[in-house]
Amino acid sequence: MKHKAVILGCNYYIGLSTIRCLGLHGIHTVAVDYSSKQAYGAKSKFCSEQLIAPHYKEDKEGFVRFLIDYASKQSHPPVLIPCHDSYVEIVDEHLAKLKRYYLIPQTEQGLYTKVMDKGTLHLLATQNNVRVPETVKLNDEHFFEKIENIIQYPCIVKPVDSPAFVAHFRRKLFKVHNKVELIKALDEAEQAGLEVIVQRIIPGFDDHMYTFDAYLNQQSQVTNWVSCRKLRQYPVNFGASVYTEYKKTPELYEIGAKFLEHIGWKGFAEIEFKKDAETGQFYLIEINVRITNLNVLLQQAGMNIPYLTYCELTGNVQRQSAEARATKRVFWYAYEDLLAIRDYWRSGQLTRTQVVRSLLFRPKAYAIWDWKDPQPALAYMGILLGKFLRKARKG
């Protein structure tokens, strides 16, 4: 393969799975991060090269210059694959400049950010007749009356810019149960300089959360897709997938494919939906525009997103298979699933019997572990051990 693949962000299992998905096909993978200390993804035997770049937050311009300098020295433009929302934002901001040196699926500057932004995503969805949870903005007239009468308590306070919110608060949102808690959450967001919205909570346990994962070619047509259902997430109720199954749901294709094609999307996207437990209707919650947490499950179902991206952008178009094949495998991020199980038990949302039954007789698509590539898991366990020892010393 003449073109290298540059993977941004390898201190999390998304970057690791991306490296493996490409390395399996003999592609030269380049792991880029701001530090080598916790970049366990770069320990994979499929990682061909590791680069330490300026920190994307502390020196954004230096980070972009670093990427351009590296690509300009290559004989063929590399494929650029960001594996974290913050990297996506930088790529979007400098898209025109980066596309001179890298192969990137998206061509419309600003579209990544528009879809990641909860406010503009809400507008796009309503314009395309896609249901979204009832939402109130802070500058709406009769704000608190709308909360009482339309949204009702409990409700959630969500960020417009999720990466910035998570970086500051180490959580995805605030769940509030009354006006006092709402005012406190709004004050905290204002002090942090972060814009938020207030949304109704769609009824239903966490297993009412679904994903529609799709790849769209350069003509903005869905060529590959799969749908999944979350069984558990962490933090519980409003978190990321930690135990998720393949679940064929044609209705999600009807909603998601039409929406993504209409907005001119190119490349990979994952739409998260919640199925209303009372009405059965699906509501769009958010869209992930970088490689997903479930990447290893998608790959084992026959939809290798990093490889599809690489092949299309380098001119080696693969045979398209529409929906991925069914699989009984479940995605499992064991460490955070154990934390989630603890919280589900404490809150009475799951029993021990329910958890044990869910784990038995299900082949696993592990987030980190791989018998044929064990070094990243060993490095990750070393990182966890270091954290526990530091906590023990402080205690």
Side-chain angles (χ1 to χ4, degrees), residues 170-185:
R170 299 298 176 187
R171 57 198 300 184
K172 294 181 70 174
L173 49 77
F174 294 122
K175 181 180 180 181
V176 299
H177 298 82
N178 51 54
K179 187 175 180 178
V180 173
E181 291 183 6
L182 174 61
I183 293 173
K184 181 176 182 293

Side-chain angles (χ1 to χ4, degrees), residues 232 242-243 332-342 359:
R232 292 190 290 274
V242 292
Y243 198 68
W332 193 28
Y333 182 21
Y335 171 64
E336 287 198 349
D337 189 34
L338 292 175
L339 299 177
I341 289 169
R342 175 201 63 190
L359 290 168

Side-chain angles (χ1 to χ4, degrees), residues 380-391:
Y380 181 68
M381 286 189 283
I383 293 170
L384 289 182
L385 179 61
K387 288 182 179 179
F388 291 144
L389 291 176
R390 286 192 293 272
K391 284 185 179 179

Side-chain angles (χ1 to χ4, degrees), residues 12 36 44 56 82 85 96 188 214 226 282 296 343-344:
Y12 198 52
S36 61
S44 170
Y56 60 90
D85 290 344
E188 289 186 21
V226 68
F282 286 98
V296 63
D343 293 344
Y344 284 121

Side-chain angles (χ1 to χ4, degrees), residues 32 43 51 131 136 145 150 152 155 180 182 189-190 200 216 218 244-245 350 356:
V32 177
K43 302 294 184 181
L51 302 176
R131 291 186 185 88
V136 176
E145 289 181 26
I150 301 174
Q152 301 182 340
C155 57
V180 173
L182 174 61
E190 183 180 11
R200 178 173 77 93
L216 288 83
Q218 290 298 292
T244 299
E245 67 176 0
L350 285 176
V356 171

